[in-house]
């Protein structure tokens, strides 16, 4: 593969408006601030109540889970590769660019963007983290970690494409199951889960500690750099087996093939048609009900198993719920972008945009509530407190606020961007930050999850009143939010 | 069927510092098929999107069927069919579901929908595509589906942006005949296209736009005489003279 082609593809992939310049400037500025900041003992691993070793273990297990999940989800099957972006597949189909050059350039791009994005957000906190001069090492370390994860998941994806998905997924799932069972037996995280990627987590954790000098972080990063080189080489080698861009399948197409559901009917009421499209067609299917039931049952079973092995004390159910609500919002943007991509159609065909906003907001609220239900089953099984099953109700204000906030955020970028199913399609990193900022008004409602956990744990008699207030607040948020989002969808220019 | 057609009066639109339209004035009367021509980036798509209310003009007046599109968008668009260029579509919807969605939103009664959809599916040879998801269609078939979606409500105004790109010759002929049928029944039709021979054959009037300005407008004979081209000069020759591309 000529290096010039690789660099040309990488440059093309990185070029989105002037975003990368803004990104680079912001990152450089914040890393410089972080590097010059005096060390403060706040939010370091020890201040969080965990040791350095525990931080490494949690981080390495989380990285392994991410690697496995990405490999399991992203493999469309034998002889096919999943790509995220239609425009990039079109590039492959129309230009003399090899699959290998594209895949490698795409991985490097993801690593640079991902590393910079993480470093940017962490660098804001760095003055409080007390990282001192080591913060300057954060960006390269995170970028290397991203590159390793990108290429390693790529290698697993290619292996699945060459040998068949089950030859990769079955051993992976078996390994993870063994790790979980071993952890349950040990009543702590098994080395099966922590050892494989500890050397990735370690240099990142050390960036936030006080006692290790900067050169130790640098030295600890060397195995990571070596692993990056090895996984990139393996990726390049394996990707050479794929020469036809037609093998590249969009992730959305893979997902779409799995979507069943009843056919959309002809309705005499335009608003009913919108609700049928976005709600009934999505949720009123046996497959969807089975998935929700299976996820809820599995998490409940996991909760029972962990409680039986005596881990109930080690895991705080309330914290699990807080973690869930904070990470779930990120998924909403893709759903909203997918649903509002054809906004031109609704506008030109005089659809009731309030009905559209309500349907999409309700869809997102239902998604969040279903996930909350599954996690509440886990929390209830783990703690033996059935009140946790009421968490979806307590979470409703946050779910509704996040849903309408996402709609409003998407409406803000519609004049400039064609929206498609994946938000990363065409959105620059600063735009994604802008969208996240638009969700900020929902952030205080995160406290609701924490408050709910404490009410349950203390057996407070105020719980029924709290739930009633949550429901009323959610209804109000939804009502007002839908009005605002519908007005934005009506009045903004539409690029697509 | 006839309504007041399409009117753009001194319409302007900018994207940041880029002035996409600079005081464009044009009229498409009922029964007319108006060809909007111009180089890439001339402002054609912007003009069409303003007509269907997807973009708000910075200045000027836009009327469809005599109704101000900016002030009363829904009332204005009730009688408009639109074919966009390379749009984002409902990728997970089957073609037949998409047609049903159009009919539902437009309030087309079931029996009328059954009759019209059957006719258009036959006309555009879409029988084999009805069960396919929109995201799986070829470019040409996707254009046929979008054209059918625009025709289904039998609108009084048709706004079409590169509607035939990717269509096979049979579908192009069916499309031209259908557009001509609409015009004959009194519909006002505006089509943006780079297919000059098609425009020459189909359109009753032509507007040539470049750099956001309407350079010339009128029947082909009028434009020929304005640029000093011979009576038998092809539209391509006239077009190139106007937009500065040489005599071709």
């Amino acid at each position: 593969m000529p290096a010039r082609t690789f660099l040309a593809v990488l440059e093309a992939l990185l070029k989105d408006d002037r975003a990368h310049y803004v990104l680079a400037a912001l990152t450089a500025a914040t890393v410089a601030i972080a590097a010059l900041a005096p060390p403060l003992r706040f939010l370091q691993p020890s201040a969080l109540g965990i040791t350095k070793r525990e931080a490494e273990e949690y981080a390495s297990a989380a990285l392994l889970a991410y690697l496995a999940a990405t490999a399991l989800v992203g493999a469309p099957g034998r002889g096919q590769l999943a790509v995220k972006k239609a425009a990039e597949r079109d590039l492959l189909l129309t230009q003399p660019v090899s699959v290998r050059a594209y895949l490698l350039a795409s991985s490097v791009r993801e690593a640079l963007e991902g590393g910079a994005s993480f470093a940017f957000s962490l660098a804001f906190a760095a003055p409080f983290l007390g990282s001192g001069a080591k913060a300057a090492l954060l960006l390269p370390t995170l970028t290397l970690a991203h590159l390793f994860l990108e290429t390693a998941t790529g290698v697993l994806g290619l292996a699945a494409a060459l040998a068949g998905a089950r030859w990769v997924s079955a051993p992976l799932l078996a390994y993870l199951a063994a790790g979980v069972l071993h952890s349950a037996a040990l009543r702590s995280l098994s080395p099966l889960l922590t050892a494989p990627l500890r050397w990735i987590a370690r240099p990142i954790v050390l960036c936030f500690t006080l006692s290790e000098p900067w050169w130790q972080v640098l030295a600890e990063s060397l195995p990571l750099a070596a692993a990056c080189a090895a996984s990139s080489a393996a990726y390049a080698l394996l990707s050479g087996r794929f020469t036809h861009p037609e093998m590249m399948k969009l992730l959305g197409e893979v997902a779409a093939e799995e979507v069943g559901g009843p056919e959309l009917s002809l309705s005499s009421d335009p608003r009913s048609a919108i609700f049928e499209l976005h709600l009934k067609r999505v949720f009123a299917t046996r497959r969807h009900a089975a998935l929700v039931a299976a996820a809820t049952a599995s998490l409940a079973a996991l909760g029972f198993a962990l409680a039986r092995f005596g881990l109930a004390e080690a895991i705080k159910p309330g914290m699990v719920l807080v973690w869930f609500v904070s990470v779930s919002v990120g998924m909403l943007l893709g759903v909203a972008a997918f649903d509002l991509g054809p906004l031109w159609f609704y506008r030109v065909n005089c659809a009731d945009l309030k009905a559209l906003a309500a349907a999409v907001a309700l869809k997102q609220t239902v998604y969040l509530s279903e996930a909350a239900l599954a996690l509440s089953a886990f929390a209830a099984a783990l703690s033996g407190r059935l009140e946790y099953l009421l968490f979806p109700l307590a979470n409703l204000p946050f779910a509704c606020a996040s849903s309408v906030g996402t709609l409003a955020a998407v409406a803000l970028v519609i004049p400039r961007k064609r929206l498609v199913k994946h938000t990363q399609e065409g959105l620059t990193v600063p735009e994604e930050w802008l969208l996240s900022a638009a969700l900020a008004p929902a952030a205080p409602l995160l406290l609701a999850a924490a408050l709910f956990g404490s009410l349950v744990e203390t057996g407070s008699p105020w719980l029924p009143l709290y739930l009633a207030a949550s429901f009323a607040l959610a209804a109000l948020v939804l009502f007002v939010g839908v009005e605002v989002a519908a007005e934005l969808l009506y009045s903004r220019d539409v690029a697509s | 069927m006839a309504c007041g057609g399409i009117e753009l009066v001194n319409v302007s639109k900018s994207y940041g510092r880029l002035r996409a339209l600079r005081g464009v004035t044009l009229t498409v009367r009922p029964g007319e098929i108006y060809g909007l021509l111009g180089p890439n980036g001339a402002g054609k798509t912007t003009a069409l999107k303003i007509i269907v209310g997807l973009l708000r003009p910075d200045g000027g007046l836009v009327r469809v069927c005599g109704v101000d599109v900016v002030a009363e968008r829904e009332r204005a668009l009730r009688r408009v069919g639109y074919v966009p260029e390379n749009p984002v579509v409902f990728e997970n919807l089957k073609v037949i579901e998409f047609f049903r969605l159009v009919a539902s939103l437009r309030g087309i009664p079931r029996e009328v929908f059954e009759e019209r959809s059957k006719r258009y599916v036959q006309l555009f040879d879409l029988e084999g595509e009805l069960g396919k998801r929109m995201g799986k269609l070829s470019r040409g078939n996707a254009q046929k589906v979008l054209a059918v979606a625009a025709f289904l409500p039998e609108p009084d105004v048709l706004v079409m942006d590169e509607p035939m790109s990717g269509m096979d010759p049979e579908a192009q002929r069916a499309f031209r005949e259908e557009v001509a049928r609409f015009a004959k029944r009194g519909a006002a039709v505006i089509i943006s296209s780079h297919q000059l021979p098609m425009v020459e054959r189909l359109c009753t009037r032509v507007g040539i736009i470049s750099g956001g300005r309407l350079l010339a407008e009128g029947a082909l004979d009028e434009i020929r005489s304005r640029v000093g081209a011979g009576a038998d000069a092809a539209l391509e020759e006239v077009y190139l003279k106007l937009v500065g591309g040489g005599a071709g």
Side-chain angles (χ1 to χ4, degrees), chain A residues 18 249-250 252-253 255-260 262-271 273-274 277-278 281 338-339 341-353 415 418-421 489-496, chain B residues 13 15 17 49 52-56 70-75 77-78 80-82 84-94 96-110 113-114 133 135-136 146 149 153:
Chain A
R18 283 156 295 197
K249 202 165 190 179
L250 289 175
E253 286 175 8
E257 281 169 8
E258 292 168 4
V259 173
E263 273 198 357
L264 188 71
S265 62
L266 181 65
S267 173
S268 55
D269 177 13
R271 278 176 294 191
I274 292 172
L277 174 65
H278 291 290
R281 197 169 165 273
F338 181 67
D339 285 333
L343 183 62
W344 67 269
F345 173 83
Y346 290 111
R347 289 260 294 249
V348 171
N349 285 288
C350 308
D352 182 343
L353 296 180
R418 280 165 62 85
L419 289 173
V420 278
K421 62 190 75 174
L489 293 176
Y490 185 86
S491 57
R492 305 279 289 171
D493 283 356
V494 179
S496 53
Chain B
K13 176 74 180 173
Y15 303 107
R17 277 182 294 177
K49 281 186 169 180
V52 295
L54 290 176
L55 299 177
R56 190 180 282 255
V70 176
E72 295 180 87
R73 191 170 72 212
E74 282 189 31
R75 194 157 82 86
L77 294 187
R78 239 167 249 160
V80 175
Y82 173 56
E85 184 191 17
N86 192 22
V88 178
V89 294
F90 295 88
E91 299 202 7
N92 288 345
L93 272 191
K94 292 175 185 169
I96 185 66
E97 291 180 293
F98 179 60
F99 290 158
R100 284 183 199 139
L101 183 61
V102 174
S104 299
L105 294 182
R106 292 291 191 159
I108 302 173
R110 182 177 300 274
F113 167 72
E114 300 291 351
R133 294 189 193 281
K136 291 274 186 186
L146 291 169

Side-chain angles (χ1 to χ4, degrees), chain A residues 214-240:
Chain A
W214 67 266
W215 50 263
Q216 188 183 344
V217 178
L218 199 60
E220 298 276 2
S221 303
L222 290 179
L224 175 57
C228 277
S231 60
S232 300
Y235 195 33
L237 198 69
L238 276 179
S239 60

Side-chain angles (χ1 to χ4, degrees), chain B:
Chain B
M1 188 182 194
C3 72
I6 302 166
E7 285 175 82
L8 269 69
V9 182
N10 201 23
V11 169
S12 57
K13 176 74 180 173
S14 297
Y15 303 107
R17 277 182 294 177
L18 176 71
R19 295 181 68 190
L21 289 183
R22 305 167 187 234
V24 169
T25 297
L26 65 84
T27 305
V28 185
R29 291 182 283 268
E32 261 184 1
I33 304 174
Y34 189 104
L36 189 60
L37 310 178
N40 297 325
K44 303 184 296 293
T45 296
T46 298
L48 298 190
K49 281 186 169 180
I50 284 175
I51 293 170
V52 295
L54 290 176
L55 299 177
R56 190 180 282 255
D58 297 334
L61 181 67
V62 188
R63 280 204 205 101
V64 169
C65 292
V67 180
D68 187 332
V69 175
V70 176
E72 295 180 87
R73 191 170 72 212
E74 282 189 31
R75 194 157 82 86
L77 294 187
R78 239 167 249 160
R79 295 158 83 177
V80 175
Y82 173 56
V83 180
E85 184 191 17
N86 192 22
V88 178
V89 294
F90 295 88
E91 299 202 7
N92 288 345
L93 272 191
K94 292 175 185 169
V95 171
I96 185 66
E97 291 180 293
F98 179 60
F99 290 158
R100 284 183 199 139
L101 183 61
V102 174
S104 299
L105 294 182
R106 292 291 191 159
I108 302 173
R110 182 177 300 274
E111 57 279 12
V112 177
F113 167 72
E114 300 291 351
E115 179 238 312
R116 283 183 196 166
S117 60
K118 188 177 170 190
R119 178 173 166 268
Y120 283 120
V121 164
Q122 280 175 352
L123 188 65
F124 286 99
D125 195 20
L126 285 170
E127 287 92 343
E129 310 296 317
L130 287 177
K132 285 190 186 167
R133 294 189 193 281
M134 295 278 286
K136 291 274 186 186
L137 296 176
S138 67
R139 176 83 194 271
N141 279 330
Q143 282 304 116
K144 290 186 204 174
V145 169
L146 291 169
V148 171
F151 292 142
L152 268 177
E154 297 268 336
D156 294 336
V157 170
L158 277 168
V159 180
M160 304 178 141
D161 196 355
E162 292 289 350
M164 292 198 289
S165 60
M167 279 189 197
D168 54 51
E170 292 92 335
Q172 288 193 22
R173 188 168 66 179
F175 175 85
R176 285 196 308 268
E177 287 172 0
E178 194 57 20
V179 168
R181 185 181 75 85
F182 267 87
K184 202 171 174 185
R185 295 176 59 192
V189 183
I190 183 165
I191 300 178
S192 151
S193 180
H194 292 294
Q195 298 183 28
L196 301 186
M198 180 278 289
V199 171
E200 193 167 2
R201 207 180 323 168
L202 182 65
C203 296
T204 46
R205 280 203 308 147
V206 171
I208 298 175
I209 191 170
S210 183
R213 292 182 202 281
L214 197 62
L215 301 180
E217 187 195 26
L220 188 53
D221 286 342
E222 293 168 18
I223 300 180
R224 275 194 194 107
S225 63
R226 194 172 309 165
V227 298
D232 56 351
L235 177 58
E236 184 181 66
E237 189 183 330
V238 176
Y239 171 86
L240 289 174
K241 274 192 175 184
L242 269 166
V243 299

Side-chain angles (χ1 to χ4, degrees), chain A residues 79-81 92-93 98-99 239-249:
Chain A
Q80 292 171 334
L81 285 174
L92 274 170
L93 287 169
S98 68
V99 174
S239 60
R241 305 276 296 273
F242 286 84
T243 49
H244 301 296
E246 291 81 0
M247 290 171 167
M248 312 292 274
K249 202 165 190 179

Side-chain angles (χ1 to χ4, degrees), chain A residues 58 104 128 249 265 272 474 496:
Chain A
Y58 292 146
L104 279 179
F128 306 103
K249 202 165 190 179
S265 62
S272 300
S496 53

